[in-house]
Amino acid sequence: EIVLTQSPGTLSLSPGETATLSCRASQTVSSHYLGWYQQRPGQAPRLLIYGASTRATGIPDRFSGSASGTDFTLTISRLEPEDFAVYYCQQYGSFSQNTFGQGTKVEIK
Amino acid sequence: QVQLVQSGAEVKKPGSSVKVSCKTSGGTFNTFTIAWVRQAPGHGLEWMGGITPIFGRPDYAQKFQGRITITTDDSTDTAYMELSSLTPEDTAVYYCAREQTFLGLDFWGQGTLVTVSS
C-alpha cells in the first residue's frame, strides 16, 4: 500500500503570506492520479488540484501544484482568510490503492 | 450541475449495520465511479471503497473487507454503502464522491453522520 506523508502537520501563517505544503509518497505515484483537497470546518472536502498540477474548475490561480518524483507540493500564494483550512493530498484512480495523506492544517498566525 | 445528496444521520447500536444512500443527478451515472470516504471526529479522510456502475464490481479498502458492501441502483442513479458489525470506532461522517478518470473526486455529497453507541 502506498503511504502519503504530508508535512508539516500545522502551518501558522498570516494573510497575504505563501503556504507551501508537502506530500511525499512511499512509492512511485503517477502524477495523473494525485489530487489536493481543501476542507473547511463542517464542510465536505473540495477538489483543488488534480493530476498533480491542474486546477479544478473555479479554483483561484493562487493555488498551484507541482510534482518531482515522489514529492508533491501544493503552494497557496497570497493567503486569503478563506484559505485557512485543512488540506489533504490523495492518490486516486487505482481503487484498492487509493489513499489520503493525513492532512496539513493551515492556521492563522 | 452534478449533485450528490446523501441520506440523513443515523444512530446505531454496536454490532448492527448501517446503509447510507447517495443519490446523484446532473451526470451520466453509469460512466463514473462513486467513492466512499469517511472521517472520524477530529481525524483525517479515509478511503473505504468505490464502484463504477457500468462495470458493476466494487472494490474495497483492505481494512473494510468482509464488512462493507457498495451497490448501485441504476434505475434511481443511487449508490449505497452498507457497513456491518459496527463498533464505536465506526462513528464518523461518511461521504460519497464522484471520481472521474484522471480528475479526482470532483463532486462530494454533504456527508452522513453515523453514530455508534450503546
Side-chain angles (χ1 to χ4, degrees):
Chain A
E1 176 185 312
I2 294 177
V3 177
L4 299 178
T5 302
Q6 292 187 240
S7 61
T10 302
L11 204 47
S12 298
L13 295 167
S14 300
E17 292 191 300
T18 296
T20 303
L21 287 66
S22 173
C23 173
R24 174 166 289 177
S26 61
Q27 304 173 39
T28 299
V29 171
S30 169
S31 291
H32 291 302
Y33 299 109
L34 194 288
W36 288 93
Y37 301 82
Q38 176 193 68
Q39 188 177 33
R40 296 172 178 145
Q43 295 186 15
R46 176 174 72 140
L47 177 67
L48 298 174
I49 300 284
Y50 63 89
S53 60
T54 303
R55 278 187 301 276
T57 302
I59 301 303
D61 61 6
R62 63 179 184 274
F63 290 90
S64 62
S66 63
S68 177
T70 57
D71 292 331
F72 300 87
T73 301
L74 174 69
T75 302
I76 313 169
S77 304
R78 308 178 305 278
L79 280 164
E80 298 279 348
E82 62 267 26
D83 299 336
F84 292 92
V86 180
Y87 294 83
Y88 296 93
C89 60
Q90 186 217 4
Q91 184 207 207
Y92 54 85
S94 184
F95 263 13
S96 58
Q97 298 294 321
N98 286 6
T99 54
F100 287 93
Q102 81 278 20
T104 291
K105 182 179 182 181
V106 178
E107 66 176 21
I108 299 177
K109 187 175 182 180
Chain B
Q1 177 74 329
V2 174
Q3 283 193 305
L4 287 75
V5 179
Q6 299 183 222
S7 48
E10 302 259 16
V11 179
K12 293 293 183 179
K13 299 286 190 188
S16 67
S17 298
V18 68
K19 191 170 186 177
V20 180
S21 68
C22 172
K23 180 167 177 57
T24 72
S25 61
T28 306
F29 183 67
N30 267 343
T31 62
F32 50 80
T33 295
I34 294 290
W36 288 90
V37 175
R38 78 176 185 180
Q39 185 171 39
H43 287 75
L45 303 173
E46 183 174 32
W47 188 84
M48 302 178 69
I51 188 168
T52 306
I54 197 170
F55 299 133
R57 190 178 69 87
D59 202 359
Y60 306 127
Q62 188 170 7
K63 175 178 179 176
F64 300 101
Q65 291 274 2
R67 66 184 191 105
I68 186 174
T69 305
I70 295 175
T71 56
T72 60
D73 182 344
D74 294 356
S75 68
T76 60
D77 290 354
T78 301
Y80 299 89
M81 187 284 300
E82 184 170 20
L83 191 63
S84 62
S85 302
L86 293 170
T87 72
E89 287 67 44
D90 293 314
T91 294
V93 176
Y94 290 76
Y95 294 101
C96 63
R98 183 182 85 160
E99 178 181 333
Q100 294 198 96
T101 306
F102 302 127
L103 302 183
L105 304 179
D106 58 353
F107 288 96
W108 292 68
Q110 82 276 20
T112 297
L113 175 61
V114 175
T115 303
V116 183
S117 173
S118 54

